[in-house]
Amino acid sequence: MHTQTYNVKGMHCASCSSIIEKTFKKVEGVESASANYGTEKVKVSFDPSKTNPQALSKKIEPLGYSLVMPDHSNHGGKTAEEMGMSAEDHAAHTGIGQSKQEKLAEVADMRAKVMIAIPLAVFSIIVMSWDILAQFGAMPKMSTIMNEFVHHLLPIFATYILFVIGKPYLLGFYRFLRYGKANMDTLIGIGTSVAFLYSFIITAFEEPLRQFINVEHTYYDVTIVVIAFITLGKYLEAKAKIKTGDAIEKLLNLQAKTAIVIRDGKEQEISINQVVHGDSIVVKPGSSIPVDGTISEGSSFVDESMVTGESMPLEKTVGDTVVAGTINTTGSFTFKATKVGSETLLAHIIKMVEDAQGSRAPIQALADKISAVFVPIVLVIAFATLGIWLLIGTPLLGFSQALSYGLTSFVGILVIACPCALGLATPTAIIVGVGKGAKEGILIKDAATLEKLHKVTTVVVDKTGTLTRGKPELVSVKNTSSLTEEKIVSILATLESKSEHPIAHAVLEYAKTKNISLMVASGFESIKGKGLKATIENTEYFAGNTKLISDLKLSFDVSEIEAETMRGRTPIILATKNEVLGVVMVADAIKPEAVEAVKSLHALGIQVVMLTGDHKNTAHAIAKEVGIDDVVAEVLPEDKLKKIQELQRDGRIVAMAGDGINDAPALAQADVGIAMGTGTDVAIETAGITLLHGDISKLVKAVRLSKLTMRGIKQNLFWAFIYNIIGIPLAGGLFYPVFGWLLSPVFAGLAMAFSSVSVVGNSLRLKAKKL
């Protein structure tokens, strides 16, 4: 069996994925097919001896879809697969892929259509409202000239809207007739086409038809308004979906494009694809490490936050391993390549993100599921109603009256059963919910995320940047001398001003915020692995760790310092040759709002689990301080992913909050990925929700927002169904024999419009709610 993932062209609604899956599963040789509307991809397992991608693509082409075939173009002697990328990413990486450009062009085209359709819809609504209000005497009737003008203008507008902007819906109608496959497009296509056709026949044969039916009412406005608003919704959705591929794109951008290798005793810059195992690679300050390997010469501090998510750059010396995509900060070093191409950790992270993104079952919108049966049922009801009126009505009322009532009922049913309210129920609540979220600093990527979030039972958080600030800060100063605290900080900052160590920056930053000025020093000397010394105002000062103080044979409170170290704090001890002057503690400080947020999550019945690459002592100390239920420390990116999968296997619905690239696979695997806005762009793009300014207290608001939005959607769907359940029998004349009630298509149009207005109005109520 061969398993491959393909991009699908033409996939633009949730029921499309089920149509593609069902079609593929019927093909001989196909074992399984899983289509994902979110990523517009399909994963197929098939027997290559019985079928092939080209044959599969031909099966779905009549239905309006096609598979994008992988490009096996050679790239430095390697195919995309060998480089551990999908063909689409490989194409983007080499600059030959037009996939994103094609999507942008498609969105630009949709935008142009929306810009034309919306003004026409606004015009139609004004005319429609005027007509209805005039009937009730709330407004004067249109003048004859005005009425004639509109009478001839609306058919022109409706023709353009239906046949140009509504072309996808007409194709949906056609494919339903030809292949019996129904989706949202089919429903819109039938409703608008029948309204248009009925109106067109009346316009064309007004006089001959006058004696049979009421020719004063046409439904061009229905055609215009429905297509315009549905097109607007599709445009907004397409715009949001462009960003779904950005996570992989940003991961690929971390990869260095070239490497400086030593060959024949000389340094030469070569393409990353030409690096082989055993190459000696030179890394200069500030440059990205091109492949995985082991340092053979030199030392430096390397920023590995993209892999570990931990904020402090790590010191790397001979024998230590370095990984692709991490950033060298200060010194230079040479290392031997041990993993290249698709073997590197970065390539694995890219693969993990891709797999996690593609493995989700698509959330098929309730409205789409219903439309598959709703369309044929409504059509059967409409035709049956027409038949019944002609069959039973002719002997009782005469053919003219029976046909008039029959046609009125037929169009009334199709107009009132128009899927406007059904189509608007979810998007309007989502638009309001997402807008409200944005105001609160909660960015939501898609509706599926909002839907999942309200069911979440467990929140998994990363320590660094999520519960803590994500950078070393000076958190305490203990003065054990007769000097002032200000003087101690000034001496220490002066000593650290010549150091490149990340902890030194924390001391200098503290001095700067407290407006403490530096002093003049001389005779700076670094004491390797222990600290540094310098002379200030004729006194020799030392700053460093406990080893340095022990070497000076000075006494200090070891137990207190060890207790602080257990809490994940790093001590810097300031001393002269004779005495210890003070101790400052540097740590990644806990965000003040973290404790309150964890309490609020507990109040919502949500369990909180902390995952971190940090030492378990540090992790447990922070968990205790914040009030977290469960801690998993010293984890690697793969372990984070495994822990999420483990929780999901236990039947939990998991939300993961993280900020590093190392969190990207876990964010993609979680039911809901939540990125902290202070984190890396990749974490933000992989996540479904981004909390701006990295504020974890917003996580609680996001959960509340999802609960409110989902309540709104359920109410909307309820009202949308009620309109159809009551409206269809009413329009069909079910109550005519008993009460003499028959719903005119004008009122069917009004009811349809009102159903939409009530749905939108209900969604707008969300704006007033407090999170």
Side-chain angles (χ1 to χ4, degrees), residues 192-511:
T192 52
S193 301
V194 170
F196 179 83
L197 200 61
Y198 175 81
S199 307
F200 181 75
I201 291 167
I202 283 181
T203 308
F205 307 103
E206 190 171 342
E207 290 314 314
L209 289 172
R210 192 178 288 276
Q211 57 184 313
F212 299 110
I213 50 176
N214 184 347
V215 293
E216 296 306 313
H217 302 298
T218 58
Y219 303 99
Y220 292 120
D221 39 21
V222 171
T223 305
I224 296 165
V225 174
V226 172
I227 291 176
F229 286 128
I230 301 278
T231 306
L232 174 66
K234 295 262 187 199
Y235 161 68
L236 294 172
E237 185 185 341
K239 213 172 146 191
K241 276 177 78 174
I242 279 187
K243 288 188 175 174
T244 54
D246 284 2
I248 305 283
E249 205 175 302
K250 290 206 171 79
L251 284 167
L252 286 166
N253 288 340
L254 282 172
Q255 178 71 67
K257 307 291 181 276
T258 60
I260 299 168
V261 298
I262 299 170
R263 287 189 183 164
D264 306 325
K266 286 185 203 151
E267 284 187 14
Q268 51 178 291
E269 193 167 356
I270 61 167
S271 162
I272 184 82
N273 308 305
Q274 294 167 328
V275 176
V276 294
H277 292 132
D279 264 342
S280 282
I281 299 166
V282 179
V283 182
K284 305 269 167 88
S287 61
S288 180
I289 292 163
V291 293
D292 295 4
T294 311
I295 295 181
S296 55
E297 194 184 314
S299 67
S300 180
F301 282 94
V302 175
D303 179 358
E304 289 195 337
S305 55
M306 57 78 51
V307 176
T308 63
E310 302 311 321
S311 45
M312 293 189 196
L314 292 176
E315 189 174 5
K316 297 280 183 179
T317 54
V318 175
D320 288 339
T321 55
V322 288
V323 297
T326 55
I327 309 291
N328 179 28
T329 56
T330 53
S332 297
F333 61 88
T334 305
F335 76 95
K336 264 205 166 31
T338 56
K339 289 179 181 174
V340 298
S342 59
E343 307 164 341
T344 66
L345 182 62
L346 180 63
H348 280 299
I349 290 178
I350 292 169
K351 181 89 174 70
M352 282 159 72
V353 173
E354 271 202 319
D355 288 350
Q357 279 185 336
S359 67
R360 276 191 209 156
I363 291 174
Q364 298 190 347
L366 179 63
D368 262 325
K369 280 186 177 172
I370 288 155
S371 75
V373 289
F374 188 63
V375 177
I377 288 171
V378 167
L379 267 179
V380 166
I381 292 170
F383 279 105
T385 303
L386 178 59
I388 290 165
W389 270 112
L390 291 174
L391 200 67
I392 298 171
T394 305
L396 298 170
L397 306 165
F399 177 73
S400 168
Q401 193 69 10
L403 177 65
S404 176
Y405 283 170
L407 277 176
T408 299
S409 295
F410 178 76
V411 176
I413 286 170
L414 285 169
V415 169
I416 207 163
C418 216
C420 297
L422 210 53
L424 289 168
T426 309
T428 50
I430 294 295
I431 288 164
V432 176
V434 168
K436 190 173 178 65
K439 279 186 185 164
E440 299 276 356
I442 302 159
L443 301 185
I444 297 149
K445 197 172 185 182
D446 56 26
T449 307
L450 248 179
E451 188 174 328
K452 273 273 171 75
L453 187 60
H454 89 290
K455 298 176 184 168
V456 162
T457 58
T458 304
V459 170
V460 175
V461 290
D462 182 45
K463 175 186 77 76
T464 308
T466 309
L467 297 172
T468 63
R469 294 193 194 278
K471 64 174 200 260
E473 288 177 21
L474 198 152
V475 289
S476 72
V477 180
K478 188 181 181 191
N479 187 351
T480 57
S481 70
S482 57
L483 300 173
T484 62
E485 188 176 299
E486 195 175 309
K487 181 86 170 174
I488 282 178
V489 174
S490 178
I491 295 167
L492 193 56
T494 307
L495 285 169
E496 296 286 8
S497 64
K498 286 284 190 288
S499 168
E500 286 173 337
H501 198 286
I503 285 177
H505 296 302
V507 176
L508 289 163
E509 194 61 38
Y510 181 81

Side-chain angles (χ1 to χ4, degrees), residues 597-612:
V598 170
K599 266 189 201 157
S600 302
L601 287 170
H602 284 154
L604 287 166
I606 295 170
Q607 191 190 5
V608 186
V609 178
M610 181 171 90
L611 295 185
T612 178

Side-chain angles (χ1 to χ4, degrees), residues 474-552:
L474 198 152
V475 289
S476 72
V477 180
K478 188 181 181 191
N479 187 351
T480 57
S481 70
S482 57
L483 300 173
T484 62
E485 188 176 299
E486 195 175 309
K487 181 86 170 174
I488 282 178
V489 174
S490 178
I491 295 167
L492 193 56
T494 307
L495 285 169
E496 296 286 8
S497 64
K498 286 284 190 288
S499 168
E500 286 173 337
H501 198 286
I503 285 177
H505 296 302
V507 176
L508 289 163
E509 194 61 38
Y510 181 81
K512 194 173 159 190
T513 54
K514 297 281 183 187
N515 293 321
I516 297 170
S517 54
L518 302 187
M519 301 159 87
V520 179
S522 60
F524 274 98
E525 193 184 315
S526 176
I527 304 158
K528 198 154 180 65
K530 294 172 185 173
L532 44 85
K533 64 176 180 175
T535 304
I536 303 169
E537 294 175 349
N538 301 320
T539 305
E540 191 173 35
Y541 291 99
F542 297 83
N545 56 23
T546 51
K547 283 181 197 161
L548 176 67
I549 306 306
S550 299
D551 288 354
L552 290 170

